[in-house]
Every structure is written in C-alpha cells, then in structure tokens.
Amino acid sequence: MIRKISMLAAAAGFVVAATGAFAAYPDKPISIVVPFAAGGPTDVVARSLAQAMGTQLKGSLIVENVNGAGGTIGAGKVARAPGDGYTLLFHHIGMSTAPSLYRKLDFKPLEDFIPIGAVVDVPMTIIAKPTMAPANAKDLLVFIRANKEKINLANAGVGSASHLCGLLLQNAMKTELTTVPFTGTGPAMIALIGGNVDIMCDQTTNTTGHIKGGKVKAYAVTSKGKLANFPELPPLGADLPGFEVGVWHILYAPKGTPADIVAKLQSSLQAAIKDPGFAAKMKDLGAEIMPLDRQTSAGAKAMLTSEIAKWAPIIQAAKAYAD
C-alpha cells in the first residue's frame, strides 16, 4: 500500500511539474521563421504580429528571415525543428501551392505542421508601368489579349505571391504571357517603375506607396469588392468574372507541438490580432483581418486544405513546375 501511494504521489508530482512547464511557456525567445526576404510584404506583417504577440505572451518573439526557393527553404527548416513551441513559421498562400509547384519538396504542409491560426488576407493590385496606354481595367484586358506576344508580366520569383497571381490571371484570361521572374519584389518593382516590364500583380502591402506616389499605374484590385485604401480601383472580377485572389497568412508550429502550447499560441494570436496597434498597421497596408473562425487551428487547417485543392489544377494546367 505504501509503495502504491508513493507511486501515485510521484505521478501526481509529474503532472504538476508538466503543467507548470506549460504554464511557464515561453521561458526563452520564440523564433518566427519568415521564408522570404526582410522588408518584403510577408515580413512586414510578421514583425507587426511578433510585437503584438510578444506583449500577450510576455516574452520575446524574434523574426528570422530564411529566404529562398519560393519560401520552401524556410518552411523546410521549421518542419525539421523540435515541436517545442520555440520555432514557428509565418507563411503565405505559397504554403498551399508548394505541393503542386515543386517536384521535390522535403515537407508536407498538412502533415508536418500544426496551424496556429490564420492572421490576415492581403488583397493584390494589378499595376503597370507608368506609360501603359489603356485608361481602365476593361481596356487593359483588351489590350493584353491583343498584344499578348509583346506583354511582359513581372513577378518576384517562382512561388512568390506575384507569381501565383500572374498564373491565376493568365488562367482566367485563357491567355499566355511572357513572364519575367526577378529575385524578389524589390527588383521586380524597380523594373516596372523603370518601364522595363509591362505589368505585375502584387500585394497592397508592397504596392500602396508606389501607387499613391504615382510611380506605377494602377488598374484594379483582386478582392471581391473595392478597398477602402483605393476606392477608385474596381475589382478585376467585374471585367474578368471568377477572378479573385488574396494572399492569406497563417502562423504554424511544427508537428508534435503539445496541445497546451498550441492552445496558448492560438489564444495569444487572437488577442494580438485585436491589438489596436496591429489592427491600425494592417489597415494602413490594406490587409484584411481574418474572420474569427479562421483564427483557430482547425479553421486555418480547413482553409489550407481547401486552397491546396484549389491551386493544384491551375498549376498543372500552366505546367508551372519548379525543381
């Protein structure tokens, strides 16, 4: 009897110790891996989120940029990280296209990660070089179809948001254009401003300043409705039925992360999204806060599953594969 009591006491002590360990989380800095370059659209959102979540968790969240291969290098690093809650991934729509886009992928989005919650959906804009002739979106579509052999469509590299938007645009128009991939959003934008390429589709987090500064010519937004930041720009879907795309962002933990930690991260994520400073920053960037049901692990996973199924046939039809 004494032995049994001792064993029960030991077990109870283990439970208390384990619970205490979870309650103490985090007791060291958390790394949020952003699989794109510093200063880019996803990085800007991630740093704002890290600051707001740090306040909620009473800890330090450090953004680590692991750029390359359309976000797959950084994602692969997190997939191999310990599931202890101290290495997270902040990725965009590219997480849903990677399985179809890359012939060789060293991770499986639905198996190697636990979504913490979806954060924001960033609309995109259809922009062109300053000297582009068409006066409006409808005329632009007509112009593109009539001059498809001469039009250059820029993007920030294979797997980037601008690349994916370009694929969807060509698919919706049933028109193939000459695409010009750059090594990032910055070089692509410089080329567009300089008139070296013709058109590009990119996130409002990257295009807002250039549009308002008159450095590029803006034609339309990719959202279902008009945006508060650009009330003068129509949704492209009004002239191109079925065309709608946004660059959603999800925070992930590696598989094996304890449910207690996932729950704590989810709670702090939802609180961070409500933070006035974070909300104001997202509004300035034109980013739309995700609905509450998608700010959960289950909701984010359901969205990711749906998006993987959506993009597979588009990529296959375009034969837009990468090694």
Side-chain angles (χ1 to χ4, degrees):
M1 176 65 75
I2 293 176
R3 180 176 175 80
K4 287 183 179 180
I5 292 174
S6 297
M7 291 176 66
L8 288 172
F14 174 77
V15 171
V16 171
T19 303
F22 287 129
Y25 171 83
D27 59 5
K28 63 180 180 179
I30 298 171
S31 175
I32 298 182
V33 172
V34 172
F36 303 103
T42 300
D43 179 72
V44 171
V45 177
R47 291 181 186 276
S48 296
L49 181 67
Q51 183 176 2
M53 282 188 69
T55 300
Q56 298 300 324
L57 288 168
K58 296 180 174 56
S60 177
L61 281 76
I62 301 170
V63 171
E64 178 186 0
N65 298 96
V66 183
N67 191 23
T72 60
I73 293 176
K77 177 178 179 177
V78 178
R80 297 185 295 272
D84 57 8
Y86 289 98
T87 303
L88 307 177
L89 172 69
F90 190 71
H91 205 332
H92 66 26
I93 190 173
M95 195 70 153
S96 66
T97 61
S100 298
L101 196 60
Y102 292 90
R103 291 188 176 94
K104 298 177 182 178
L105 197 63
D106 62 353
F107 62 87
K108 296 180 180 179
L110 292 173
E111 297 178 21
D112 294 331
F113 299 90
I114 300 173
I116 301 301
V119 182
V120 292
D121 190 8
V122 182
M124 305 186 81
T125 49
I126 305 297
I127 56 177
K129 61 185 180 183
T131 57
M132 200 64 159
N136 53 50
K138 186 174 183 178
D139 290 346
L140 177 67
L141 295 175
V142 173
F143 181 81
I144 290 173
R145 289 190 174 103
N147 297 275
K148 58 184 179 182
E149 295 84 4
K150 302 175 184 178
I151 298 293
N152 291 324
L153 174 63
N155 66 57
V158 174
S160 66
S162 52
H163 173 227
L164 301 174
C165 184
L167 287 179
L168 193 62
L169 177 64
Q170 293 174 85
N171 181 270
M173 293 185 68
K174 295 179 173 55
T175 301
E176 290 188 19
L177 303 175
T178 299
T179 58
V180 183
F182 288 83
T183 57
T185 300
M189 187 63 72
I190 290 172
L192 188 71
I193 292 171
N196 297 314
V197 290
D198 300 307
I199 59 173
M200 186 165 71
C201 175
D202 207 356
Q203 301 174 69
T204 56
T205 44
N206 184 57
T207 63
T208 296
H210 299 298
I211 293 172
K212 291 185 175 180
K215 295 181 179 180
V216 297
K217 193 169 184 177
Y219 282 94
V221 294
T222 67
S223 53
K224 189 173 183 178
K226 289 188 175 184
L227 301 180
N229 280 14
F230 300 110
E232 73 281 7
L233 298 181
L236 190 64
D239 295 304
L240 189 61
F243 183 85
E244 182 185 344
V245 61
V247 185
W248 45 264
H249 296 72
I250 292 177
L251 183 67
Y252 303 86
K255 67 179 179 181
T257 302
D260 306 64
I261 290 179
V262 171
K264 191 166 187 176
L265 285 168
Q266 178 182 289
S267 177
S268 65
L269 174 71
Q270 292 175 343
I273 289 174
K274 293 179 181 177
D275 180 86
F278 178 79
K281 178 68 173 179
M282 295 304 102
K283 184 177 180 180
D284 288 343
L285 295 173
E288 300 174 348
I289 300 298
M290 279 289 185
L292 186 59
D293 63 332
R294 291 189 173 183
Q295 296 174 25
T296 65
S297 183
K301 185 171 184 177
M303 186 178 72
L304 176 61
T305 302
S306 175
E307 288 286 309
I308 288 174
K310 167 189 170 180
W311 281 98
I314 295 173
I315 292 171
Q316 291 166 4
K319 297 181 180 178
Y321 305 116
D323 295 325

